[in-house]
Amino acid sequence: MSVIGVVAEYNPFHFGHEHHLIQTVRSLGEDCPVVCVMSGDFIQRGQAAVYSKFARAEAAISCGVDLVLELPLPWTLSSAEGFARGAVGLLGATGVVTHLSFGSECGETEPLEQLAELLLDPLFVNDIKAELNNNEGISFAAARQRAAAKRVGELSCQLETPNNILAVEYIKQLYDQNLHIKPVTVQRFGSGHDQTGNFGPRSASEIRRAIASGGDITGSVPEGALAVYQREEKLGRGPVLDENLELAVLSRLRMLDDAAFAVLPDAGEGLNFRLARAAREETTVDAVVAAAKSKRYALSRIRRMTMCAALGIKAEDAQGIPPYARVLAATQRGCALLREMSTKSAVPVITKPASVKELDDRARHIFSVCSAAHDLFSLGYTAQAERRGGADWRISPKIAIK
């Protein structure tokens, strides 16, 4: 039996995500279970998710996913390469996943596989360095694009779109980690990333903007997911907006000394000094990020670094792959997979948070970082009673009984 692995943020789950799952299952077999590695309470851009990881996982299993595992925060708040290494590595560590399915703009795996092989070429690193040295102020992404164009011509254009970029990173990790998992892709359609469109499903960013403004998202997300989000809002557990957490984040940043900024991911080339100064002077998180920005580095990198500082994440935390697989939600078919994973998984599988205390020091540290992040995230809830700390240690996986 084939087992489908996917990597997602589901922030929130929408019809484009549903289309991806339907098309993947249709191509590989209706009996194929789906395992998703999903970002937790904060997403790869260095921002809060609109609903908690527990709610988003529950929405996912109501819409076609069978098992949701959390991608721990240090890998979530990494570059595309670090994000992919952690997520794909965790899927591989389960011992049950046979296929990795992802969306892409190109809709076919062959060109993405060619680019992955190029990026893994040790000599290609020198090509990128040459572009950085010869073009003052150029970003890493632009330098890589130019270097790739000199090697593979028009094929390099596939590195210009966000889903293709992540897809290439996923395939790179399959190769680099020597995982016997076959990549498959579904062509993305509808509104582009961070764009407003007039056809196809609305993008996650469009839906988030509607949520933030109090708009009605009925018709933009599947009914199962909508029911979860509406319940969360009724209970005062969302939506969580960045502005709701701003003072909490700023206060964390201002309490840090220079040493804390020096050990952050991507802290080289003086970025740690720029960020430390901005954190002590600016009055909003956006202003902190803007003040620390330089020509070479994208805002998303600075924002991730800023959130890592606020959440206590060090560069060393995201080495390798996650040291455990924490279950957030499962269907009955997902529970059957968990029984299989109990003998095949290369990392401990956590279904009861209390079992974390039996793991090694690194696993306990990573779980504690995620737990502290959830405590901060919950301060964005509108219901005061729901802001109680320590929830990560109390909440068990959501099991769907069908």
Side-chain angles (χ1 to χ4, degrees), residues 291-330:
K293 175 80 171 67
S294 67
K295 289 183 179 179
R296 176 158 289 187
Y297 302 112
L299 277 174
S300 57
R301 175 174 174 174
I302 309 300
R303 189 173 290 279
R304 284 195 300 270
M305 189 176 172
T306 301
M307 192 56 67
C308 284
L311 298 175
I313 298 171
K314 301 177 182 178
E316 63 187 32
D317 289 338
Q319 292 180 355
I321 70 169
Y324 58 79
R326 186 195 184 174
V327 180
L328 295 178

Side-chain angles (χ1 to χ4, degrees), residues 69 78 98 104 134 199 211 213 230 366:
L69 306 175
S78 291
T98 61
S104 66
N134 295 333
F199 68 97
I211 291 171
S213 63
Q230 288 178 334
I366 296 299

Side-chain angles (χ1 to χ4, degrees), residues 121-138:
D121 181 350
L123 297 179
F124 188 63
V125 175
N126 296 328
D127 296 350
I128 298 174
K129 288 181 179 178
E131 293 295 335
L132 289 169
N133 293 332
N134 295 333
N135 299 276
E136 185 178 355
I138 191 175

Side-chain angles (χ1 to χ4, degrees), residues 166-208:
L166 265 179
V168 170
E169 293 296 342
Y170 295 152
I171 295 172
K172 273 179 56 184
Q173 293 305 320
L174 292 179
Y175 294 162
D176 198 40
Q177 298 183 42
N178 195 29
L179 298 175
H180 300 293
I181 296 175
K182 183 177 180 179
V184 295
T185 190
V186 174
Q187 188 165 27
R188 193 186 190 286
F189 76 107
S191 302
H193 192 71
D194 274 350
Q195 296 177 357
T196 300
N198 296 318
F199 68 97
R202 298 170 75 187
S203 68
S205 55
E206 284 183 90
I207 298 170
R208 288 195 299 272

Side-chain angles (χ1 to χ4, degrees), residues 249-281 288 292 302 305-315:
V249 170
L250 285 173
S251 67
R252 300 273 294 255
L253 293 174
R254 290 189 179 183
M255 288 188 288
L256 299 177
D257 58 18
D258 288 344
F261 286 97
V263 296
L264 291 174
D266 298 324
E269 299 187 16
L271 267 180
N272 53 307
F273 297 114
R274 295 169 65 94
L275 183 58
R277 182 170 60 251
R280 292 160 188 160
E281 295 176 356
V288 170
I302 309 300
M305 189 176 172
T306 301
M307 192 56 67
C308 284
L311 298 175
I313 298 171
K314 301 177 182 178

